[in-house]
Amino acid sequence: MPHYKYVVFTEPKPDRNAAYNDWYDSVHLAEVIAVDGFVAAQRFKLVDLPHNTLPASRYMAIYEIEADDPKEVLDRLMAIGTGGGMVLSDALDQGSAKTILYRPVGDRMTKGS
């Protein structure tokens, strides 16, 4: 079955970092991977280094999707979210959210392979 990466960039509202991170880790990730087609999720925080170029945001989540049609999976996620089936935190700056779907274009390479 095809495997995709769904990358989501978000930001908390000013002075709401703790509430945002608690909601994302304690509620949101589990709600998303409960949707059929999602199989895993992991969050990341930007590392402050001078080598970084301007980032999309300080926070990124990468969700893994296994599906023949990833659009159906994302449509299902949106329907659940807009239908009130997910908890959205008021600490999330919804206007900052950016989402991107990627598919592999080659085999995964590891050291020594």
Side-chain angles (χ1 to χ4, degrees):
M1 182 167 300
H3 189 87
Y4 299 87
K5 302 286 187 189
Y6 184 55
V7 182
V8 178
F9 298 97
T10 57
E11 287 284 336
K13 288 182 179 173
D15 300 320
R16 300 296 312 272
N17 259 356
Y20 162 86
N21 284 303
D22 182 56
W23 161 77
Y24 222 118
D25 293 335
S26 302
V27 177
H28 192 62
L29 290 178
E31 287 182 331
V32 173
I33 64 172
V35 175
D36 287 342
F38 284 89
V39 296
Q42 185 175 13
R43 290 186 64 225
F44 298 85
K45 182 178 180 189
L46 179 70
V47 176
D48 188 16
L49 289 175
H51 300 355
N52 289 340
T53 58
L54 183 63
S57 71
R58 290 175 292 161
Y59 293 96
M60 174 182 70
I62 299 177
Y63 299 92
E64 296 179 26
I65 296 173
E66 290 182 0
D68 290 323
D69 185 352
K71 183 182 179 310
E72 285 182 7
V73 175
L74 295 176
D75 287 347
R76 189 168 30 253
L77 174 69
M78 294 303 132
I80 292 168
T82 59
M86 289 188 175
V87 175
L88 285 182
S89 173
D90 64 355
L92 170 67
D93 176 3
Q94 291 186 32
S96 74
K98 294 171 186 65
T99 61
I100 305 168
L101 182 69
Y102 291 93
R103 66 173 176 78
V105 294
D107 293 333
R108 184 170 182 261
M109 183 182 294
T110 59
K111 190 172 187 172
S113 62

